[in-house]
Structure formats: structure tokens, C-alpha cells
């Protein structure tokens, strides 16, 4: 029997959502400040409207004291808050996008905001190159908020009971420190240090190599940094990273993409000189898949004759594989050119997108730890079948120490991996039903579900509404890794039929 | 860390420590990318030469 949530439960959820909206309002100050500094007065008005829209319910929930009767907060409460957050925040975030009139219909702005917050990077913007700078900055800020974890951002400022469930519901499994707040602060520290270094180098490159004015160079650097470190993939210009024609720029972004796809636990281990990291199952898995898929893509591109010189083949091939495997979605080749990559190169990029980065990173996809554990579980089963009866197959693996792969853990890992495969196939089926070639429909579906953002041209203004809705759903479910979404559906069911 | 230091000095020391740790992390990430570049180039060179 389902228990209907009480009015107090609903108030608590509204209160937590209010606090998260307060963070959105605070984040809106960044593009507002930029709009004022650059004299984009109309855009400044749009941001004021958005900040007000976010701040009023936040203040109301606080003023009405809806969080004051916080008693027992169960696990599902946090999951529901997170699932709702990732619908409400993009809805509020659409306001400046919609008012800028660079999107065809409101649903396109919701798609854009969802793509931003889930760090996907697929875009339906029209005439991106003439979008007001502050609105462009807001697109990238959404990616930064989403990559860091919007709920995590709120937890940094507001302590809350149920923090652990909210933290884990955002797709982060490991706590680096015993306290979620300390873990959140460490994540911010890593981001700030990468940000300072990344933005400085990119700004200097922009000024010295590309001849940008300092302010313009800084604008590009900060946007591209947010999209790279948070494996988002939005760029300020329509030609993505090809716009910069700079090997140094691409090199810096490659480092930032790798950093973004690394788990924050690995960052902590590297910072503290922990030894034996190459023994970790997740590190071994991602290095192996990177190596294999890079080789597959390079061989595919080389044999198909797309590139005739080794240097060009290395530069384009490596950047695309890195972009796909880290879930970023930057591109140094045009959409048309990418759609012509066939055979092994197409397979290499698509599989790289599907696998994704590390767990507890800003990347999406199935994640390397699940891949490693799935392979280990299967290998153990085969070994058990081949060895004599009674032989013991060790069920341990290395991941920051020795851990045991229990049957329950193996089942859970395989279930989530299968759900991802199902999500990939769902979008491919819908795209195919609308008449897109199967390979292109699958590519775009994987790109949306694994929060990558590479496109072969299927995602475009005017795409079918149902397909757009399915891709929004894929981005939302894929980013939250299913559990929080299922909890929300259960909560809604208990509201409807609970007693 | 000594506790008899002025809070500002302690904060600065902590900041310097964090920057040093972050620099180490960034250096390792750059090395990983460097290894991938070398691996990709060698492979691309062989593929182009054999084609």
C-alpha cells in the first residue's frame, strides 16, 4: 500500500526547492553583471525578471517557515527534491533565452536549458554568433551549475538534513570526506583552481595568438572553461572549437576535459600523492577504453582517407575521441563533416559517448566503474564455469583499497548499464521512426542520453516536437542516472493513489 | 599546521598548499593528455604510411 505524502512533506520539498532556486537567483547575478557592464540593457531586464522569478518563491518558502518543521527526512525525499530540481531549474532558466528571441518556440528554450544543466551541449539556438553576450554567458553558467551539481551548490551554502540522499541522487556515489558539506567544498576548490589556471591560459592565448581584445578573450575563456571542465560542450560560437584554429587552445581544453571526466575522488587522491592509483579498477577501465576507442577511430579515419596527413589525423581524431569519451561534446570538425565519418570512426565515437567518464565526475554515460564491474562480474562467472567445482574465484577489486563485488552490487551495476542501453535504443527508435537514418538517430540518441552533445545534424531548430520531448527526457534521466527519476514517479503515484 | 599562527597566515599557508596540490593534479592531467597525443600520433603515422 502506498502512503500518501502529508502536507508537511510537500512543504518540506517546496522549501528545499526554494533554497535551490535561491542559488539560481544568485547565479543569475553573473550574466546580469555582464549585461550591465557591456551595456546590454534589454538583457539586463530579462535577467532581473528571471532573478525575481527564482527569488520570490525561494523567499516565500523561507518566510512561511516551511522548512522549520523538518523532522524525519527519509531517503526518497532527497531523491524527489533532486528529480524536481532538474525540471524546475531549467524551466526558470529559460526566461532570458525565450525573451532573447533566438529560439523558435518555448520548448526549444527548455531543451537548451535542459541541455545546459545536464551538461549535454546539444543546442537549438538560432544565429548563435549574434546572441547577446550575457545570454550566451547564461547558457554556459547553466552548464557550470549542472556540472558541479545544482543541489550540491545549494548544500554548500545551506546545510540540510537529507543532504546525503540529495548528493548521491545527483549522480555522485562517493564521498571524499565524511561530511557532504566538506566534500562539496573540496569539489568547489578543485573547480576554482582549474578555473584560475584554465581561464588565464585561454585568455592569454586569445590575446596573443588570436588577436582578441582582452575583454573578448576573457569572455571566450570563461565560457569555454565552464563548458570544458563541466564536460558541457556549449561554445560561444556556432563553429564550436574549430572557431579558434589554435592547437594550444585545443590542448588546454583537452586537459580540462580529462580533469572534468575524472572522479573528484581521483582528484583528491592525486592531490594527496596516493599511490597505486593505476591499480584502481575505474582508472584501468577508462585508460583501456580510451586506448582502444582512440585506436579504432584513428584507424577508421586513416583508412577511409578523410585525413591524408598524420598530424591532422591525430589532432582531429584525438580531440573528437576525448570530447566524446569525456562527455563534453566540443568539436573541431563541422557537423556535416562529422556526419560523413563512417565505419570504424563512427563506431569509435559512438561507443566512446555511450561509455562516458568516471563516476562522481561531471561526465555522463554508463561510467567506467560500471563498465569495469560489469566486465569483472562476467569474467568471474566464466571463470567459475571453467574451473573445477569448489575452486574459489576471488570476488575482490581495487578501488581506493580492496573492495568486494557482492552479487547485489553486480546486479545493480548491470541493471543501470542495461537501462542506459535501453535509453539509447529508445531515442534511436524514435529518430528512426521520424525517418532519420538509423546510424544518425542512434548517434544523436546516445549523445543526448550520455550528456555529450556531439551532433550529426539531427538536433536542429524545427525538429519534430515528440522527438525533442524524448531527447529532453533522455537528458534528464541520463544525467540523474535513473534512481531519482524512478523515485519521483513513485512519489507522484503515491500522491495520486496513496492512502 | 601550527595553531599559534595568525589566522591570515594560516589561511595563506593553506591556500599555498592547495595551489601546490592543484598544480600537481594539473601536471598529471597534462601528462595523460601528452601520452595520448604521442600514442595517437604514432598510430596515425603508421596508418597513413600503410594506406
Amino acid at each position: 500500500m502506498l502512503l500518501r505524502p502529508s502536507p508537511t512533506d510537500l512543504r518540506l520539498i517546496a522549501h528545499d526547492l526554494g533554497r535551490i532556486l535561491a542559488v539560481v537567483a544568485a547565479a543569475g547575478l553573473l550574466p546580469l553583471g555582464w549585461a550591465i557592464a557591456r551595456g546590454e540593457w534589454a538583457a539586463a531586464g530579462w535577467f532581473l525578471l528571471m532573478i525575481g522569478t527564482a527569488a520570490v518563491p525561494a523567499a516565500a518558502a523561507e518566510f512561511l517557515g516551511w522548512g522549520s518543521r523538518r523532522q524525519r527526512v527519509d531517503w526518497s525525499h532527497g531523491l524527489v527534491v533532486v528529480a524536481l530540481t532538474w525540471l524546475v531549474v531549467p524551466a526558470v532558466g529559460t526566461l532570458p533565452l525565450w525573451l532573447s528571441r533566438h529560439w523558435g518556440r518555448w520548448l526549444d528554450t527548455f531543451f537548451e536549458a535542459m541541455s545546459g544543466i545536464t551538461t549535454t551541449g546539444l543546442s537549438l539556438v538560432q544565429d548563435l554568433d549574434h546572441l547577446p553576450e550575457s545570454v550566451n554567458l547564461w547558457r554556459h553558467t547553466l552548464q557550470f551549475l549542472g556540472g558541479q551539481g545544482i543541489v550540491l551548490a545549494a548544500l554548500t551554502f545551506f546545510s540540510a538534513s537529507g543532504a546525503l540522499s540529495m548528493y548521491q541522487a545527483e549522480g555522485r556515489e562517493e564521498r571524499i570526506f565524511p561530511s557532504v558539506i566538506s566534500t562539496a567544498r573540496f569539489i568547489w576548490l578543485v573547480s576554482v583552481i582549474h578555473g584560475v589556471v584554465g581561464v588565464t591560459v585561454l585568455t592569454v592565448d586569445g590575446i596573443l595568438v588570436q588577436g582578441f581584445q582582452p575583454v573578448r578573450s576573457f569572455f571566450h575563456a570563461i565560457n569555454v572553461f565552464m563548458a570544458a571542465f563541466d564536460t558541457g560542450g556549449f561554445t560561444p560560437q556556432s563553429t564550436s572549437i574549430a572557431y579558434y584554429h589554435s592547437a594550444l587552445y585545443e590542448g588546454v581544453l583537452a586537459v580540462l576535459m580529462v580533469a572534468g571526466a575524472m572522479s573528484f575522488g581521483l582528484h583528491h587522491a592525486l592531490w594527496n600523492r596516493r599511490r597505486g592509483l593505476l591499480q584502481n579498477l575505474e582508472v584501468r577501465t577508462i585508460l583501456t577504453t580510451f586506448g582502444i576507442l582512440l585506436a579504432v577511430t584513428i584507424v577508421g579515419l586513416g583508412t577511409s582517407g578523410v585525413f591524408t596527413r598524420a598530424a591532422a589525423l591525430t589532432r582531429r581524431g584525438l580531440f573528437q575521441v576525448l570530447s566524446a569519451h569525456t562527455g563534453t561534446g566540443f568539436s573541431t570538425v563541422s557537423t556535416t563533416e562529422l556526419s560523413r565519418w563512417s565505419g570504424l570512426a563512427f563506431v569509435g565515437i559512438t561507443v566512446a559517448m555511450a561509455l562516458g567518464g568516471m563516476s562522481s565526475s561531471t561526465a555522463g554515460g554508463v561510467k567506467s566503474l560500471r563498465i569495469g564491474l560489469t566486465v569483472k562480474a562476467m569474467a568471474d562467472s566464466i571463470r567459475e564455469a571453467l574451473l573445477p567445482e569448489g575452486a574459489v574465484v576471488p570476488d575482490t577489486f581495487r578501488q581506493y583499497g580492496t573492495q568486494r563485488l557482492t552479487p547485489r552490487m553486480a546486479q545493480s551495476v548491470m541493471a543501470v548499464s542495461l537501462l542506459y542501453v535501453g535509453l539509447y535504443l529508445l531515442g534511436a527508435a524514435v529518430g528512426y521512426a521520424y525517418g532519420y537514418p538509423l546510424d544518425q538517430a542512434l548517434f544523436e540518441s546516445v549523445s543526448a542520453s550520455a550528456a555529450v552533445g556531439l551532433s550529426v545534424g539531427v538536433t536542429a531548430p524545427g525538429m519534430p516536437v515528440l522527438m525533442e520531448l524524448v531527447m529532453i527526457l533522455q537528458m534528464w534521466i541520463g544525467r540523474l542516472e535513473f534512481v531519482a527519476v524512478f523515485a519521483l514517479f513513485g512519489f507522484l503515484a503515491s500522491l495520486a493513489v496513496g492512502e | 599546521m601550527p595553531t599559534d599562527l595568525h589566522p591570515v597566515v594560516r589561511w595563506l599557508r593553506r591556500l599555498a598548499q592547495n595551489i601546490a596540490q592543484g598544480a600537481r593534479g594539473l601536471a598529471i592531467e597534462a601528462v595523460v593528455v601528452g601520452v595520448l597525443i604521442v600514442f595517437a600520433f604514432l598510430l596515425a603515422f603508421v596508418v597513413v604510411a600503410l594506406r
Side-chain angles (χ1 to χ4, degrees):
Chain A
M1 182 184 72
L2 285 170
L3 287 178
R4 189 192 295 267
S6 69
T8 308
D9 290 330
L10 298 178
R11 282 192 208 107
L12 279 174
I13 289 170
H15 178 259
D16 283 348
L17 281 174
R19 286 191 158 180
I20 289 158
L21 282 176
V23 173
V24 175
L29 294 173
L30 179 67
L32 173 65
W34 192 271
I36 292 169
R38 302 290 280 169
E40 294 177 345
W41 302 114
W46 307 335
F47 284 109
L48 275 175
L49 189 62
M50 184 198 72
I51 290 167
T53 306
V56 167
E62 209 66 44
F63 180 72
L64 292 169
W66 283 356
S68 60
R69 272 183 282 171
R70 187 179 289 273
Q71 299 155 356
R72 182 184 59 83
V73 177
D74 61 25
W75 195 259
S76 64
H77 170 105
L79 298 177
V80 170
V81 168
V82 168
L84 284 174
T85 294
W86 287 69
L87 290 175
V88 171
V89 171
V92 174
T94 58
L95 261 174
L97 308 182
W98 175 235
L99 293 169
S100 74
R101 297 185 181 183
H102 274 259
W103 282 264
R105 53 191 177 214
W106 181 82
L107 189 63
D108 292 358
T109 63
F110 188 69
F111 181 100
E112 190 85 8
M114 182 62 87
S115 175
I117 201 95
T118 57
T119 72
T120 305
L122 289 168
S123 181
L124 290 175
V125 64
Q126 297 173 10
D127 195 14
L128 173 61
D129 299 339
H130 295 100
L131 189 67
E133 283 183 1
S134 52
V135 179
N136 220 337
L137 182 61
W138 178 236
R139 293 169 71 234
H140 292 83
T141 307
L142 279 171
Q143 291 210 314
F144 191 64
L145 277 179
Q148 299 298 106
I150 176 79
V151 175
L152 180 109
L155 289 174
T156 315
F157 302 109
F158 307 109
S159 61
S161 48
L164 181 59
S165 69
M166 288 193 249
Y167 173 76
Q168 295 192 331
E170 270 195 326
R172 298 185 199 282
E173 281 142 30
E174 62 190 13
R175 272 184 297 165
I176 302 159
F177 297 101
S179 139
V180 172
I181 307 291
S182 305
T183 302
R185 288 184 180 149
F186 175 75
I187 288 173
W188 283 105
L189 180 66
V190 172
S191 310
V192 167
I193 287 186
H194 280 83
V196 170
V197 175
V199 171
T200 305
V201 177
L202 292 173
T203 304
V204 170
D205 180 277
I207 295 169
L208 298 182
V209 179
Q210 290 153 87
F212 287 166
Q213 294 291 319
V215 174
R216 179 170 158 75
S217 190
F218 176 72
F219 174 76
H220 279 259
I222 197 154
N223 279 314
V224 171
F225 161 74
M226 288 196 281
F229 184 72
D230 285 274
T231 62
F234 279 161
T235 48
Q237 303 288 149
S238 56
T239 45
S240 193
I241 301 305
Y243 176 77
Y244 302 103
H245 293 292
S246 164
L248 177 60
Y249 223 85
E250 289 166 28
V252 173
L253 293 181
V255 173
L256 291 173
M257 288 192 287
V258 167
M262 279 167 45
S263 72
F264 284 99
L266 183 58
H267 279 289
H268 186 258
L270 287 177
W271 283 31
N272 290 285
R273 295 175 188 265
R274 276 184 73 168
R275 296 190 174 276
L277 293 178
L278 282 175
Q279 309 295 319
N280 275 4
L281 179 71
E282 190 171 30
V283 174
R284 284 185 163 195
T285 305
I286 201 161
L287 288 177
T288 307
T289 55
F290 247 123
I292 293 171
L293 294 168
L294 181 59
V296 165
T297 308
I298 296 271
V299 170
L301 285 175
T303 51
S304 66
V306 177
F307 299 102
T308 51
R309 291 176 52 223
L313 174 56
T314 306
R315 186 169 161 186
R316 300 283 185 273
L318 175 59
F319 193 87
Q320 290 307 122
V321 175
L322 268 175
S323 176
H325 210 322
T326 59
T328 308
F330 282 155
S331 189
T332 50
V333 296
S334 68
T335 302
T336 316
E337 193 179 335
L338 189 60
S339 68
R340 290 199 200 109
W341 286 18
S342 56
L344 280 179
F346 177 84
V347 171
I349 298 289
T350 309
V351 174
M353 290 197 299
L355 298 187
M358 288 187 173
S359 58
S360 300
S361 70
T362 65
V366 180
K367 305 270 176 77
S368 294
L369 187 56
R370 288 198 188 100
I371 303 292
L373 289 174
T374 303
V375 171
K376 177 175 169 47
M378 287 165 67
D380 286 355
S381 299
I382 294 168
R383 222 179 291 167
E384 273 174 4
L386 294 178
L387 287 173
E389 202 170 326
V392 178
V393 176
D395 58 356
T396 55
F397 64 97
R398 298 269 302 170
Q399 180 72 7
Y400 307 111
T402 303
Q403 300 200 32
R404 200 170 153 250
L405 176 60
T406 60
R408 190 189 167 108
M409 189 194 287
Q411 278 171 5
S412 159
V413 160
M414 285 190 192
V416 175
S417 304
L418 278 175
L419 284 169
Y420 268 105
V421 173
L423 199 61
Y424 297 154
L425 293 178
L426 167 75
V430 173
Y432 187 61
Y434 271 105
Y436 292 97
L438 186 58
D439 56 345
Q440 293 192 5
L442 179 66
F443 187 96
E444 216 81 359
S445 172
V446 172
S447 183
S449 307
V452 181
L454 286 172
S455 175
V456 288
V458 174
T459 305
M463 68 189 291
V465 170
L466 177 62
M467 204 171 151
E468 196 174 333
L469 283 169
V470 168
M471 288 180 86
I472 289 170
L473 196 69
Q474 285 179 295
M475 292 190 274
W476 179 55
I477 295 177
R479 175 63 178 83
L480 294 181
E481 303 187 356
F482 301 97
V483 178
V485 175
F486 292 160
L488 177 63
F489 290 153
F491 180 79
L492 294 176
S494 63
L495 262 182
V497 298
E499 292 172 15
Chain B
M1 192 178 289
T3 51
D4 53 345
L5 291 172
H6 190 276
V8 176
V9 177
R10 266 194 294 168
W11 184 82
L12 285 172
R13 280 183 62 156
R14 187 69 184 256
L15 182 68
Q17 193 183 14
N18 285 331
I19 290 170
Q21 287 178 318
R24 187 185 310 133
L26 267 164
I28 294 168
E29 289 149 17
V31 168
V32 170
V33 172
V35 170
L36 286 172
I37 290 172
V38 171
F39 173 64
F41 182 75
L42 290 175
L43 197 64
F45 187 78
V46 172
V47 170
V48 170
L50 289 178
R51 192 160 54 86

